[in-house]
Amino acid sequence: MEGGNETLTTDFILSGLFPNMKCVSILIYTIILIYLAAVTGNFILLFLIWIDLRLHTPMYFLLSQLSLVDLALISTTVPKMMVNFFSGRKYITHLACGTQIFFFFTLGGAECILLTFMAYDRYVAVCNPLRYAVIMNHRVCLQMAMVSWIGGILASTAHTSYTMSLPICGSREIHHFFCEMPEIMKISCKDTSTYELVVFVMGIAFIIVPFGLIMASYTFIFLTVLRMTSPQGRNKALATCSSHLTVVTFYLGPCVYMYMTPGFSHTPEEEQAVSVFCTVLTPMLNPLIYSLRNKDVVGAFQKILRKHPTSKQNT
């Protein structure tokens, strides 16, 4: 769709969350509660990992990075959505839109890579426990974190620079509650079919390849677990691995739908529902999934609670 008169204004209009929904205010207040729960849950998890020496292990270091990603991811979209809803203004500047896209893809890419490294960590812990401390040393953990963040930044820079350079002809309304790359491509008057192929290839690199590596890791893990003679060791390994697999399913599943299937097959309502699940619900669920079935995290939390009344009596 080349040609057309490019609009002079650079601001975009966000239609908001389910604009045709009658009781959208109930949904907004629910999302606010979810946002507060996500921030609280991830901060508590980060605090416990930082303060409890028993949690100073590679698995919990990577988990702390996941909590940081989740905190930043949900804060990239929800606060702006709340401001627009309560102020009644739907505009977002070109700079703010580009910033949202940049952080969204940085954090999304970092999470995909990080989940892969977390699966490798569990593979080494279960399948090669005697060499775990040597393989997953502090330096390797830092390198994993750096690769996750840098990989996300590089992919995001490419997506953001291309998306924000697209000419927009006619309406600048984005049918979403935040600036999303596929939605901007839809309102562009430039043929984006070639770049859609690039997005598909990037999706293979950041979604399909990590998913394949994660599945391969867990295949080896389950084969090793089946050979374990200790029921306690088997249950512990399965509990930890099932938590991670649940998080992987919740995050990568919606990503496959959004970026690995044709955009014309999605309605705006479907895309918004998937985005809410991926960017709002998942960051809230992750600390719950990892905490409720994890005796180490629960024990660290109970330890803090036991110390609190003691400190009150001393004062």
Side-chain angles (χ1 to χ4, degrees):
M1 212 167 68
E2 293 280 0
N5 296 321
E6 187 177 351
T7 51
L8 297 177
T9 179
T10 59
D11 289 352
F12 292 97
I13 302 170
L14 296 173
S15 64
L17 185 64
F18 301 118
N20 298 323
M21 187 177 177
K22 292 181 179 180
C23 302
V24 70
S25 57
I26 297 174
L27 182 59
I28 294 293
Y29 285 115
T30 303
I31 289 176
I32 292 173
L33 292 176
I34 292 172
Y35 177 70
L36 294 174
V39 171
T40 304
N42 282 288
F43 265 123
I44 290 174
L45 191 56
L46 282 168
F47 176 73
L48 292 175
I49 293 171
W50 174 66
I51 202 170
D52 197 306
L53 294 176
R54 294 175 301 173
L55 302 183
H56 290 187
T57 63
M59 183 181 82
Y60 291 108
F61 172 77
L62 295 175
L63 183 55
S64 70
Q65 295 299 304
L66 183 66
S67 286
L68 285 174
V69 169
D70 284 338
L71 273 171
L73 182 61
I74 195 170
S75 298
T76 299
T77 58
V78 173
K80 177 61 179 173
M81 179 186 69
M82 291 190 295
V83 168
N84 281 10
F85 177 77
F86 289 111
S87 67
R89 288 162 35 185
K90 296 185 177 182
Y91 288 94
I92 184 170
T93 64
H94 189 271
L95 177 61
C97 186
T99 303
Q100 262 196 343
I101 292 175
F102 176 78
F103 280 106
F104 179 78
F105 276 105
T106 295
L107 298 163
E111 183 149 349
C112 290
I113 299 171
L114 195 58
L115 289 172
T116 309
F117 285 142
M118 292 174 75
Y120 176 74
D121 169 76
R122 291 299 84 206
Y123 162 76
V124 177
V126 175
C127 301
N128 206 350
L130 296 179
R131 298 195 61 210
Y132 180 71
V134 177
I135 296 173
M136 295 297 297
N137 58 61
H138 184 64
R139 182 182 176 185
V140 170
C141 291
L142 289 176
Q143 288 173 343
M144 285 180 169
M146 287 178 62
V147 168
S148 299
W149 287 100
I150 292 172
I153 289 170
L154 291 176
S156 180
T157 301
H159 282 311
T160 306
S161 57
Y162 178 83
T163 304
M164 299 315 295
S165 65
L166 288 172
I168 308 298
C169 305
S171 173
R172 298 181 71 88
E173 183 175 2
I174 299 171
H175 297 284
H176 219 297
F177 63 92
F178 69 97
C179 278
E180 170 71 304
M181 180 190 67
E183 293 302 316
I184 295 178
M185 290 168 67
K186 286 179 183 178
I187 62 175
S188 172
C189 51
K190 181 180 179 180
D191 182 14
T192 59
S193 56
T194 302
Y195 191 67
E196 286 175 11
L197 181 60
V198 174
V199 172
F200 182 80
V201 173
M202 294 281 277
I204 293 174
F206 277 85
I207 300 172
I208 302 302
V209 171
F211 184 75
L213 292 173
I214 290 168
M215 289 299 103
S217 297
Y218 278 104
T219 300
F220 287 113
I221 287 171
F222 287 133
L223 290 174
T224 303
V225 167
L226 289 175
R227 292 195 296 267
M228 287 183 176
T229 55
S230 168
Q232 186 178 2
R234 188 187 298 119
N235 293 336
K236 184 178 180 181
L238 288 175
T240 306
C241 295
S242 62
S243 298
H244 184 247
L245 271 177
T246 304
V247 171
V248 168
T249 304
F250 282 172
Y251 186 75
L252 291 185
C255 287
V256 170
Y257 173 82
M258 288 292 293
Y259 300 106
M260 302 301 296
T261 56
F264 61 81
S265 64
H266 312 154
T267 66
E269 290 77 18
E270 288 172 347
E271 290 188 349
Q272 288 198 29
V274 172
S275 293
V276 167
F277 184 86
C278 194
T279 64
V280 180
L281 275 178
T282 301
M284 181 203 71
L285 292 173
N286 284 355
L288 291 175
I289 292 168
Y290 278 107
S291 301
L292 293 178
R293 300 195 64 183
N294 192 306
K295 292 181 180 179
D296 294 333
V297 175
V298 173
F301 187 65
Q302 290 174 342
K303 186 178 176 183
I304 295 295
L305 293 179
R306 284 196 298 268
K307 280 186 176 181
H308 185 65
T310 306
S311 61
K312 277 182 131 183
Q313 289 173 5
N314 292 337
T315 54

